[in-house]
Amino acid sequence: MANPHQEDKSKEGMEGATRRAGEKAAEQTSRIGQAAADQAARVGQAATDAGEEVARASATVLKQNVETLQNTWRSGLETTTSVLGRSTEQFGRTLGVSGKQ
């Protein structure tokens, strides 16, 4: 017949080994989860940084486009004013209204 005391020790040893294996697995899972969370945070920060850079670049391009449009309008207005001024003078001379002769 088997020794009951020996069986109890063997059972306790197996339970302890099982418990230690479970604890080790839980620790490893926790470390893996933390590493994944850290990596996700780094990826999120990189995406945020890239988004901010794109926003800054877009704002710069928009500002340059607005300035170009303003300069184009200003140039067009100056050209139109100059042409109309000459046309008005010529029209006035044709009618004899102009003070220049």
Side-chain angles (χ1 to χ4, degrees):
M1 190 178 218
N3 183 352
H5 185 65
Q6 184 65 24
E7 287 179 14
D8 288 344
K9 279 187 173 183
S10 177
K11 185 177 177 183
E12 287 175 11
M14 287 176 34
E15 289 174 354
T18 302
R19 184 177 56 253
R20 285 189 300 278
E23 289 170 355
K24 186 174 181 179
E27 288 173 13
Q28 288 175 341
T29 301
S30 177
R31 281 196 302 270
I32 291 169
Q34 186 60 47
D38 292 346
Q39 182 65 25
R42 284 190 294 274
V43 168
Q45 185 60 47
T48 298
D49 293 346
E52 289 174 356
E53 185 62 31
V54 167
R56 279 191 294 275
S58 295
T60 300
V61 168
L62 179 62
K63 181 182 176 195
Q64 290 171 349
N65 288 343
V66 167
E67 289 172 354
T68 300
L69 182 61
Q70 287 174 335
N71 291 336
T72 301
W73 276 96
R74 186 176 299 116
S75 176
L77 181 60
E78 289 170 359
T79 301
T80 302
T81 301
S82 175
V83 168
L84 285 176
R86 285 192 300 259
S87 296
T88 303
E89 288 173 11
Q90 289 174 355
F91 186 67
R93 281 194 301 264
T94 302
L95 296 177
V97 178
S98 176
K100 298 178 185 177
Q101 301 231 345

Coordinates of all heavy atoms in Angstrom, one line a residue:
M1 N 0.8 -1.2 0.0 CA 0.0 0.0 0.0 C 0.9 1.2 0.0 O 1.9 1.3 0.6 CB -0.9 -0.1 1.2 CG -1.9 0.9 1.2 SD -2.9 0.7 2.7 CE -4.4 1.0 2.1
A2 N 0.4 2.2 -0.6 CA 1.2 3.4 -0.8 C 1.2 4.3 0.5 O 0.2 4.2 1.3 CB 0.6 4.3 -1.9
N3 N 2.2 5.0 0.7 CA 2.3 5.8 1.9 C 1.5 7.1 1.7 O 1.8 7.9 0.8 CB 3.8 6.2 2.1 CG 4.1 7.0 3.3 OD1 3.1 7.4 4.0 ND2 5.3 7.2 3.6
P4 N 0.5 7.3 2.5 CA -0.4 8.5 2.4 C 0.4 9.8 2.6 O 0.1 10.8 1.9 CB -1.5 8.4 3.4 CG -1.3 7.1 4.1 CD 0.0 6.5 3.6
H5 N 1.4 9.8 3.5 CA 2.2 11.0 3.7 C 3.0 11.3 2.4 O 3.1 12.5 2.1 CB 3.1 10.7 4.9 CG 3.9 11.9 5.3 ND1 3.3 13.0 5.8 CD2 5.2 12.1 5.3 CE1 4.3 13.9 6.1 NE2 5.4 13.4 5.7
Q6 N 3.5 10.3 1.8 CA 4.3 10.6 0.5 C 3.3 11.1 -0.6 O 3.7 12.0 -1.3 CB 4.9 9.2 0.1 CG 5.8 9.4 -1.1 CD 7.0 10.2 -0.8 OE1 7.5 10.4 0.3 NE2 7.6 10.8 -1.9
E7 N 2.1 10.6 -0.6 CA 1.2 11.1 -1.7 C 0.8 12.5 -1.4 O 0.7 13.3 -2.4 CB -0.1 10.2 -1.6 CG 0.1 8.8 -2.2 CD -1.2 8.0 -2.2 OE1 -2.3 8.5 -2.0 OE2 -1.0 6.8 -2.4
D8 N 0.6 12.9 -0.1 CA 0.3 14.3 0.2 C 1.4 15.2 -0.2 O 1.2 16.3 -0.8 CB 0.0 14.5 1.7 CG -1.3 13.9 2.1 OD1 -2.1 13.6 1.2 OD2 -1.5 13.7 3.3
K9 N 2.7 14.8 0.0 CA 3.8 15.6 -0.4 C 3.9 15.8 -1.9 O 4.2 16.9 -2.4 CB 5.1 15.0 0.1 CG 5.4 15.3 1.6 CD 6.8 14.8 1.9 CE 7.2 15.3 3.3 NZ 8.5 14.8 3.6
S10 N 3.6 14.7 -2.6 CA 3.7 14.7 -4.0 C 2.6 15.6 -4.6 O 2.8 16.4 -5.5 CB 3.5 13.3 -4.6 OG 3.5 13.3 -6.0
K11 N 1.4 15.5 -4.0 CA 0.3 16.4 -4.4 C 0.6 17.8 -4.2 O 0.4 18.7 -5.0 CB -1.0 15.9 -3.7 CG -2.2 16.7 -4.1 CD -3.4 16.1 -3.4 CE -4.7 16.9 -3.8 NZ -5.8 16.4 -3.1
E12 N 1.2 18.1 -3.0 CA 1.6 19.5 -2.7 C 2.6 20.0 -3.6 O 2.6 21.2 -4.0 CB 2.1 19.6 -1.2 CG 1.0 19.5 -0.2 CD 1.6 19.4 1.2 OE1 2.8 19.7 1.4 OE2 0.8 19.1 2.2
G13 N 3.5 19.2 -4.0 CA 4.6 19.6 -4.9 C 4.0 19.9 -6.3 O 4.4 20.9 -6.9
M14 N 3.1 19.1 -6.8 CA 2.5 19.4 -8.1 C 1.7 20.6 -8.0 O 1.7 21.4 -9.0 CB 1.6 18.2 -8.4 CG 2.4 17.0 -8.8 SD 1.5 15.4 -9.2 CE 0.0 16.0 -9.9
E15 N 0.9 20.8 -6.9 CA 0.1 22.1 -6.8 C 1.0 23.3 -6.8 O 0.7 24.3 -7.4 CB -0.7 22.0 -5.5 CG -1.9 21.0 -5.6 CD -2.6 20.9 -4.3 OE1 -2.2 21.5 -3.3 OE2 -3.7 20.2 -4.3
G16 N 2.1 23.2 -6.1 CA 3.1 24.3 -6.0 C 3.7 24.6 -7.4 O 3.8 25.8 -7.8
A17 N 4.0 23.6 -8.1 CA 4.6 23.7 -9.4 C 3.6 24.3 -10.4 O 3.9 25.2 -11.2 CB 5.1 22.4 -10.0
T18 N 2.3 23.9 -10.3 CA 1.3 24.4 -11.1 C 1.0 25.9 -10.8 O 0.9 26.8 -11.7 CB 0.0 23.7 -10.9 OG1 0.2 22.3 -11.2 CG2 -1.2 24.2 -11.7
R19 N 1.0 26.2 -9.5 CA 0.8 27.6 -9.1 C 2.0 28.5 -9.6 O 1.7 29.6 -10.1 CB 0.7 27.7 -7.5 CG 0.4 29.1 -7.0 CD 0.2 29.2 -5.5 NE 1.4 28.7 -4.8 CZ 1.4 27.5 -4.1 NH1 0.3 26.7 -4.1 NH2 2.5 27.1 -3.5
R20 N 3.2 28.0 -9.4 CA 4.4 28.8 -9.9 C 4.3 29.0 -11.4 O 4.6 30.1 -11.9 CB 5.7 28.1 -9.5 CG 6.0 28.3 -8.0 CD 7.4 27.8 -7.6 NE 7.6 26.4 -7.9 CZ 7.2 25.4 -7.1 NH1 6.6 25.6 -6.0 NH2 7.5 24.2 -7.5
A21 N 3.9 28.0 -12.1 CA 3.8 28.1 -13.6 C 2.7 29.1 -14.0 O 2.9 29.9 -14.9 CB 3.5 26.7 -14.2
G22 N 1.6 29.1 -13.3 CA 0.6 30.0 -13.5 C 1.0 31.5 -13.3 O 0.7 32.4 -14.0
E23 N 1.8 31.6 -12.2 CA 2.3 33.0 -11.8 C 3.3 33.5 -12.9 O 3.2 34.6 -13.3 CB 2.9 32.9 -10.4 CG 1.9 32.8 -9.3 CD 2.6 32.5 -7.9 OE1 3.8 32.4 -7.9 OE2 1.8 32.5 -6.9
K24 N 4.1 32.6 -13.3 CA 5.1 32.9 -14.3 C 4.4 33.3 -15.6 O 4.8 34.3 -16.3 CB 6.1 31.7 -14.5 CG 7.2 32.1 -15.5 CD 8.2 30.9 -15.5 CE 9.4 31.3 -16.5 NZ 10.3 30.2 -16.6
A25 N 3.4 32.5 -16.0 CA 2.7 32.8 -17.2 C 2.0 34.2 -17.1 O 1.9 35.0 -18.0 CB 1.6 31.7 -17.5
A26 N 1.4 34.5 -15.9 CA 0.7 35.8 -15.7 C 1.7 36.9 -15.8 O 1.4 38.0 -16.4 CB 0.0 35.8 -14.3
E27 N 2.9 36.7 -15.2 CA 4.0 37.8 -15.3 C 4.4 38.0 -16.8 O 4.5 39.2 -17.2 CB 5.2 37.4 -14.5 CG 5.0 37.4 -13.0 CD 6.1 36.8 -12.2 OE1 7.2 36.6 -12.8 OE2 6.0 36.6 -11.0
Q28 N 4.6 36.9 -17.5 CA 5.0 37.1 -18.9 C 3.9 37.8 -19.7 O 4.2 38.6 -20.5 CB 5.3 35.7 -19.5 CG 6.6 35.1 -19.0 CD 6.8 33.7 -19.5 OE1 5.9 33.0 -20.0 NE2 8.1 33.3 -19.4
T29 N 2.6 37.4 -19.5 CA 1.5 38.0 -20.2 C 1.4 39.5 -19.8 O 1.2 40.3 -20.7 CB 0.2 37.3 -19.8 OG1 0.3 35.9 -20.1 CG2 -1.0 37.9 -20.5
S30 N 1.7 39.8 -18.6 CA 1.7 41.2 -18.1 C 2.8 42.0 -18.8 O 2.6 43.1 -19.3 CB 1.8 41.3 -16.6 OG 1.9 42.7 -16.2
R31 N 4.0 41.4 -18.9 CA 5.1 42.1 -19.6 C 4.8 42.3 -21.1 O 5.1 43.4 -21.7 CB 6.4 41.3 -19.4 CG 7.0 41.5 -18.0 CD 8.5 41.0 -18.0 NE 8.6 39.6 -18.4 CZ 8.6 38.6 -17.5 NH1 8.4 38.8 -16.3 NH2 8.7 37.4 -18.0
I32 N 4.2 41.3 -21.7 CA 3.9 41.4 -23.1 C 2.9 42.5 -23.3 O 2.9 43.3 -24.3 CB 3.4 40.0 -23.7 CG1 4.6 39.0 -23.7 CG2 2.8 40.2 -25.0 CD1 4.2 37.6 -24.0
G33 N 1.8 42.5 -22.5 CA 0.8 43.5 -22.6 C 1.4 44.9 -22.4 O 1.0 45.8 -23.1
Q34 N 2.3 45.1 -21.4 CA 2.9 46.4 -21.2 C 3.7 46.8 -22.4 O 3.7 48.0 -22.8 CB 3.7 46.4 -19.9 CG 4.3 47.7 -19.6 CD 3.2 48.7 -19.3 OE1 2.2 48.5 -18.6 NE2 3.3 49.9 -19.9
A35 N 4.5 45.9 -23.0 CA 5.3 46.2 -24.2 C 4.4 46.6 -25.3 O 4.7 47.5 -26.1 CB 6.1 45.0 -24.6
A36 N 3.3 45.9 -25.5 CA 2.3 46.2 -26.6 C 1.7 47.6 -26.3 O 1.6 48.4 -27.3 CB 1.2 45.2 -26.7
A37 N 1.4 47.9 -25.1 CA 0.8 49.2 -24.8 C 1.8 50.3 -25.0 O 1.5 51.4 -25.6 CB 0.3 49.2 -23.3
D38 N 3.1 50.1 -24.6 CA 4.2 51.1 -24.9 C 4.3 51.3 -26.4 O 4.5 52.5 -26.8 CB 5.5 50.6 -24.3 CG 5.4 50.6 -22.7 OD1 4.5 51.2 -22.1 OD2 6.3 49.9 -22.1
Q39 N 4.3 50.2 -27.1 CA 4.5 50.4 -28.6 C 3.3 51.1 -29.2 O 3.5 52.0 -30.0 CB 4.6 49.0 -29.2 CG 4.9 49.0 -30.7 CD 6.2 49.7 -31.1 OE1 7.1 49.6 -30.4 NE2 6.3 50.2 -32.3
A40 N 2.1 50.8 -28.7 CA 1.0 51.5 -29.2 C 1.0 53.0 -28.9 O 0.7 53.9 -29.7 CB -0.3 50.9 -28.7
A41 N 1.5 53.3 -27.7 CA 1.7 54.8 -27.3 C 2.7 55.4 -28.2 O 2.5 56.6 -28.6 CB 2.1 54.8 -25.9
R42 N 3.8 54.8 -28.6 CA 4.8 55.4 -29.4 C 4.2 55.6 -30.8 O 4.5 56.6 -31.4 CB 6.1 54.5 -29.5 CG 6.9 54.6 -28.2 CD 8.3 53.9 -28.4 NE 8.2 52.4 -28.6 CZ 8.1 51.6 -27.6 NH1 8.2 52.0 -26.4 NH2 8.0 50.3 -27.9
V43 N 3.5 54.6 -31.3 CA 2.9 54.8 -32.7 C 1.9 55.9 -32.6 O 1.8 56.7 -33.6 CB 2.2 53.4 -33.1 CG1 1.3 53.6 -34.3 CG2 3.3 52.4 -33.4
G44 N 1.1 56.0 -31.6 CA 0.1 57.1 -31.5 C 0.8 58.4 -31.4 O 0.3 59.4 -32.1
Q45 N 1.9 58.5 -30.7 CA 2.6 59.8 -30.6 C 3.2 60.2 -32.0 O 3.2 61.3 -32.4 CB 3.7 59.7 -29.6 CG 4.4 61.0 -29.3 CD 3.5 62.2 -28.9 OE1 2.7 62.0 -28.0 NE2 3.6 63.3 -29.5
A46 N 3.8 59.2 -32.7 CA 4.3 59.4 -34.0 C 3.2 59.9 -35.0 O 3.5 60.8 -35.8 CB 5.0 58.2 -34.5
A47 N 2.1 59.3 -34.9 CA 0.9 59.7 -35.7 C 0.5 61.2 -35.4 O 0.2 62.0 -36.3 CB -0.2 58.8 -35.6
T48 N 0.5 61.5 -34.1 CA 0.1 62.8 -33.7 C 1.2 63.8 -34.2 O 0.8 64.9 -34.7 CB 0.1 62.9 -32.2 OG1 -1.0 62.0 -31.7 CG2 -0.2 64.3 -31.7
D49 N 2.4 63.5 -34.1 CA 3.5 64.4 -34.5 C 3.4 64.6 -36.0 O 3.5 65.7 -36.5 CB 4.9 63.8 -34.2 CG 5.1 63.8 -32.7 OD1 4.4 64.5 -31.9 OD2 6.1 63.1 -32.3
A50 N 3.2 63.5 -36.8 CA 3.0 63.6 -38.2 C 1.8 64.5 -38.6 O 1.9 65.3 -39.5 CB 2.9 62.2 -38.9
G51 N 0.7 64.3 -37.9 CA -0.5 65.1 -38.2 C -0.2 66.6 -37.9 O -0.7 67.5 -38.7
E52 N 0.5 66.9 -36.9 CA 0.8 68.3 -36.6 C 1.7 68.9 -37.6 O 1.5 70.1 -38.1 CB 1.5 68.4 -35.2 CG 0.6 68.2 -34.0 CD 1.3 68.1 -32.7 OE1 2.5 68.2 -32.7 OE2 0.6 68.0 -31.7
E53 N 2.7 68.1 -38.1 CA 3.6 68.6 -39.2 C 2.8 68.8 -40.5 O 3.0 69.8 -41.1 CB 4.7 67.6 -39.4 CG 5.7 68.0 -40.4 CD 6.5 69.3 -40.0 OE1 6.7 69.5 -38.8 OE2 6.9 70.0 -40.9
V54 N 1.9 68.0 -40.8 CA 1.1 68.1 -42.0 C 0.2 69.4 -41.8 O 0.1 70.2 -42.8 CB 0.2 66.9 -42.2 CG1 -0.9 67.2 -43.3 CG2 1.0 65.7 -42.7
A55 N -0.3 69.6 -40.7 CA -1.2 70.8 -40.4 C -0.3 72.1 -40.6 O -0.8 73.1 -41.2 CB -1.8 70.8 -39.0
R56 N 0.9 72.1 -40.0 CA 1.8 73.2 -40.2 C 2.1 73.5 -41.7 O 2.1 74.6 -42.1 CB 3.1 73.1 -39.4 CG 2.9 73.4 -37.9 CD 4.2 73.4 -37.2 NE 4.9 72.2 -37.2 CZ 4.7 71.2 -36.2 NH1 3.9 71.5 -35.3 NH2 5.4 70.1 -36.3
A57 N 2.4 72.4 -42.4 CA 2.8 72.6 -43.8 C 1.6 73.1 -44.6 O 1.7 73.9 -45.5 CB 3.3 71.2 -44.3
S58 N 0.4 72.6 -44.3 CA -0.8 73.0 -45.0 C -1.1 74.5 -44.7 O -1.4 75.2 -45.6 CB -2.0 72.2 -44.5 OG -1.8 70.8 -44.9
A59 N -0.9 74.9 -43.5 CA -1.1 76.3 -43.1 C -0.1 77.2 -43.9 O -0.5 78.3 -44.4 CB -1.0 76.5 -41.6
T60 N 1.1 76.7 -44.0 CA 2.1 77.5 -44.7 C 1.8 77.6 -46.2 O 1.9 78.7 -46.8 CB 3.5 76.9 -44.6 OG1 3.9 76.8 -43.2 CG2 4.6 77.6 -45.3
V61 N 1.4 76.5 -46.8 CA 1.0 76.5 -48.2 C -0.2 77.4 -48.4 O -0.3 78.2 -49.4 CB 0.7 75.1 -48.7 CG1 0.1 75.1 -50.1 CG2 2.0 74.3 -48.8
L62 N -1.2 77.3 -47.5 CA -2.4 78.2 -47.6 C -2.0 79.6 -47.6 O -2.5 80.4 -48.4 CB -3.4 77.8 -46.6 CG -4.7 78.6 -46.5 CD1 -5.4 78.4 -47.8 CD2 -5.5 78.2 -45.4
K63 N -1.1 80.0 -46.6 CA -0.7 81.4 -46.5 C 0.0 81.9 -47.8 O -0.3 83.0 -48.3 CB 0.2 81.5 -45.3 CG 0.7 82.9 -45.1 CD 1.7 83.0 -43.9 CE 2.2 84.4 -43.8 NZ 3.4 84.5 -43.0
Q64 N 0.9 81.0 -48.3 CA 1.5 81.4 -49.6 C 0.6 81.6 -50.7 O 0.7 82.5 -51.5 CB 2.6 80.3 -49.9 CG 3.8 80.3 -49.0 CD 4.7 79.1 -49.2 OE1 4.4 78.2 -49.9 NE2 5.8 79.2 -48.6
N65 N -0.4 80.7 -50.8 CA -1.4 80.8 -51.8 C -2.3 82.1 -51.7 O -2.6 82.7 -52.7 CB -2.3 79.6 -51.9 CG -1.6 78.3 -52.4 OD1 -0.6 78.4 -53.0 ND2 -2.2 77.2 -52.1
V66 N -2.6 82.4 -50.5 CA -3.4 83.6 -50.3 C -2.6 84.9 -50.7 O -3.1 85.8 -51.3 CB -3.8 83.7 -48.8 CG1 -4.3 85.1 -48.4 CG2 -4.9 82.7 -48.5
E67 N -1.3 84.9 -50.3 CA -0.4 86.0 -50.7 C -0.3 86.1 -52.2 O -0.3 87.2 -52.7 CB 1.0 85.8 -50.0 CG 0.9 86.0 -48.5 CD 2.3 85.7 -47.8 OE1 3.2 85.1 -48.5 OE2 2.4 85.9 -46.6
T68 N -0.1 84.9 -52.8 CA 0.0 84.9 -54.3 C -1.3 85.5 -54.9 O -1.3 86.3 -55.9 CB 0.3 83.5 -54.8 OG1 1.5 83.1 -54.3 CG2 0.3 83.5 -56.3
L69 N -2.4 85.1 -54.4 CA -3.7 85.5 -54.9 C -3.8 87.1 -54.7 O -4.3 87.8 -55.6 CB -4.9 84.8 -54.3 CG -6.3 85.2 -54.7 CD1 -6.5 84.9 -56.2 CD2 -7.3 84.5 -53.9
Q70 N -3.5 87.5 -53.5 CA -3.5 89.0 -53.3 C -2.6 89.8 -54.2 O -3.0 90.8 -54.8 CB -3.1 89.3 -51.8 CG -4.1 88.9 -50.8 CD -3.6 89.0 -49.4 OE1 -2.4 89.0 -49.1 NE2 -4.5 89.2 -48.4
N71 N -1.4 89.3 -54.5 CA -0.5 89.9 -55.4 C -1.1 89.9 -56.8 O -0.9 90.9 -57.5 CB 0.9 89.3 -55.3 CG 1.6 89.5 -54.0 OD1 1.3 90.5 -53.3 ND2 2.5 88.7 -53.6
T72 N -1.7 88.8 -57.2 CA -2.2 88.7 -58.5 C -3.4 89.7 -58.7 O -3.5 90.5 -59.7 CB -2.8 87.3 -58.8 OG1 -1.6 86.4 -58.7 CG2 -3.4 87.2 -60.2
W73 N -4.3 89.8 -57.7 CA -5.4 90.8 -57.7 C -4.8 92.2 -57.8 O -5.3 93.0 -58.5 CB -6.3 90.6 -56.5 CG -7.3 89.5 -56.8 CD1 -7.2 88.2 -56.4 CD2 -8.6 89.7 -57.4 NE1 -8.4 87.6 -56.7 CE2 -9.2 88.4 -57.4 CE3 -9.2 90.7 -58.1 CZ2 -10.4 88.2 -58.0 CZ3 -10.5 90.5 -58.6 CH2 -11.0 89.2 -58.6
R74 N -3.8 92.5 -56.9 CA -3.3 93.8 -56.9 C -2.7 94.2 -58.2 O -2.9 95.3 -58.8 CB -2.2 93.9 -55.8 CG -1.7 95.3 -55.5 CD -0.7 95.3 -54.4 NE -1.3 94.9 -53.1 CZ -0.9 93.8 -52.5 NH1 0.0 93.0 -52.9 NH2 -1.6 93.5 -51.3
S75 N -1.9 93.3 -58.8 CA -1.3 93.6 -60.1 C -2.4 93.8 -61.2 O -2.3 94.7 -62.0 CB -0.4 92.4 -60.5 OG 0.1 92.6 -61.8
G76 N -3.4 92.9 -61.2 CA -4.5 93.1 -62.1 C -5.2 94.4 -62.0 O -5.6 95.1 -63.0
L77 N -5.4 94.8 -60.7 CA -6.1 96.1 -60.5 C -5.3 97.3 -60.9 O -5.8 98.2 -61.6 CB -6.4 96.2 -59.0 CG -7.1 97.5 -58.5 CD1 -8.5 97.6 -59.2 CD2 -7.3 97.5 -57.0
E78 N -4.0 97.2 -60.7 CA -3.1 98.3 -61.1 C -3.0 98.4 -62.6 O -3.1 99.4 -63.2 CB -1.6 98.0 -60.6 CG -1.5 98.3 -59.1 CD -0.2 97.8 -58.5 OE1 0.6 97.3 -59.2 OE2 0.0 98.0 -57.3
T79 N -3.0 97.2 -63.3 CA -3.0 97.2 -64.8 C -4.3 97.8 -65.3 O -4.3 98.6 -66.2 CB -2.8 95.7 -65.3 OG1 -1.5 95.3 -64.8 CG2 -2.8 95.7 -66.8
T80 N -5.4 97.3 -64.7 CA -6.7 97.8 -65.2 C -6.8 99.3 -65.0 O -7.3 100.0 -65.8 CB -7.8 97.1 -64.4 OG1 -7.7 95.7 -64.7 CG2 -9.2 97.5 -64.9
T81 N -6.4 99.8 -63.8 CA -6.5 101.2 -63.5 C -5.6 102.0 -64.5 O -6.0 103.1 -65.0 CB -6.0 101.5 -62.1 OG1 -6.8 100.7 -61.2 CG2 -6.0 102.9 -61.7
S82 N -4.4 101.5 -64.8 CA -3.6 102.2 -65.8 C -4.2 102.3 -67.1 O -4.2 103.3 -67.8 CB -2.2 101.5 -65.8 OG -1.4 102.0 -66.8
V83 N -4.7 101.1 -67.6 CA -5.3 101.1 -69.0 C -6.5 102.0 -69.0 O -6.7 102.7 -70.0 CB -5.7 99.6 -69.3 CG1 -6.6 99.6 -70.6 CG2 -4.4 98.8 -69.5
L84 N -7.4 101.9 -68.0 CA -8.6 102.8 -68.0 C -8.2 104.2 -67.9 O -8.9 105.1 -68.5 CB -9.5 102.4 -66.8 CG -10.3 101.1 -67.0 CD1 -11.1 100.8 -65.8 CD2 -11.2 101.2 -68.2
G85 N -7.1 104.6 -67.2 CA -6.7 106.0 -67.1 C -6.3 106.5 -68.4 O -6.6 107.6 -68.8
R86 N -5.5 105.7 -69.2 CA -5.1 106.1 -70.5 C -6.3 106.2 -71.5 O -6.4 107.2 -72.2 CB -4.0 105.1 -71.1 CG -2.7 105.3 -70.4 CD -1.6 104.5 -71.2 NE -1.9 103.1 -71.2 CZ -1.3 102.2 -70.4 NH1 -0.4 102.6 -69.5 NH2 -1.6 100.9 -70.6
S87 N -7.2 105.2 -71.4 CA -8.3 105.3 -72.2 C -9.2 106.5 -71.9 O -9.7 107.1 -72.9 CB -9.2 104.0 -72.0 OG -8.5 102.9 -72.4
T88 N -9.3 106.8 -70.7 CA -10.1 108.0 -70.3 C -9.5 109.3 -70.8 O -10.2 110.2 -71.3 CB -10.3 108.1 -68.8 OG1 -10.9 106.8 -68.3 CG2 -11.2 109.2 -68.3
E89 N -8.2 109.4 -70.7 CA -7.5 110.5 -71.3 C -7.7 110.6 -72.8 O -7.9 111.7 -73.3 CB -6.0 110.5 -70.9 CG -5.7 110.7 -69.5 CD -4.2 110.4 -69.2 OE1 -3.4 110.3 -70.1 OE2 -3.9 110.4 -68.0
Q90 N -7.5 109.5 -73.5 CA -7.7 109.5 -74.9 C -9.1 109.9 -75.3 O -9.4 110.7 -76.2 CB -7.3 108.2 -75.5 CG -5.8 107.9 -75.5 CD -5.5 106.5 -75.9 OE1 -6.4 105.7 -76.2 NE2 -4.2 106.1 -76.0
F91 N -10.1 109.3 -74.6 CA -11.5 109.7 -74.9 C -11.8 111.1 -74.6 O -12.4 111.8 -75.4 CB -12.4 108.8 -74.0 CG -13.8 108.9 -74.3 CD1 -14.4 108.4 -75.5 CD2 -14.7 109.5 -73.3 CE1 -15.7 108.5 -75.7 CE2 -16.1 109.6 -73.6 CZ -16.6 109.1 -74.8
G92 N -11.2 111.7 -73.6 CA -11.3 113.1 -73.2 C -10.7 114.0 -74.3 O -11.3 115.0 -74.7
R93 N -9.5 113.6 -74.8 CA -8.9 114.4 -75.9 C -9.7 114.3 -77.1 O -9.9 115.3 -77.9 CB -7.5 113.9 -76.1 CG -6.5 114.4 -75.1 CD -5.1 114.1 -75.6 NE -4.8 112.7 -75.8 CZ -4.2 111.9 -74.9 NH1 -3.9 112.3 -73.7 NH2 -4.0 110.6 -75.2
T94 N -10.3 113.1 -77.4 CA -11.1 113.0 -78.6 C -12.3 113.9 -78.5 O -12.7 114.5 -79.5 CB -11.6 111.5 -78.7 OG1 -10.5 110.7 -78.8 CG2 -12.4 111.3 -80.0
L95 N -12.9 114.1 -77.4 CA -14.1 114.9 -77.2 C -13.7 116.4 -77.0 O -14.6 117.3 -76.9 CB -15.0 114.4 -76.1 CG -15.6 113.0 -76.2 CD1 -16.4 112.7 -75.0 CD2 -16.5 113.0 -77.4
G96 N -12.4 116.6 -76.8 CA -12.0 118.0 -76.5 C -12.2 118.4 -75.1 O -12.2 119.6 -74.8
V97 N -12.4 117.5 -74.2 CA -12.7 117.8 -72.8 C -11.4 118.0 -72.0 O -11.4 118.7 -71.0 CB -13.6 116.7 -72.2 CG1 -13.9 117.0 -70.7 CG2 -14.9 116.6 -73.0
S98 N -10.4 117.3 -72.5 CA -9.2 117.3 -71.7 C -8.5 118.6 -71.6 O -8.6 119.4 -72.6 CB -8.2 116.2 -72.3 OG -7.0 116.2 -71.6
G99 N -7.8 118.9 -70.5 CA -7.1 120.2 -70.4 C -5.8 120.1 -71.2 O -5.2 121.1 -71.4
K100 N -5.3 119.0 -71.6 CA -4.1 118.8 -72.3 C -4.3 118.9 -73.8 O -5.3 118.4 -74.3 CB -3.4 117.5 -72.0 CG -3.1 117.3 -70.6 CD -2.5 115.9 -70.4 CE -2.2 115.6 -68.9 NZ -1.7 114.2 -68.8
Q101 N -3.5 119.6 -74.5 CA -3.7 119.8 -76.0 C -2.5 119.6 -76.7 O -1.4 120.0 -76.4 CB -4.4 121.1 -76.3 CG -5.7 121.2 -75.5 CD -6.8 121.6 -76.4 OE1 -6.6 122.1 -77.5 NE2 -8.0 121.4 -76.0

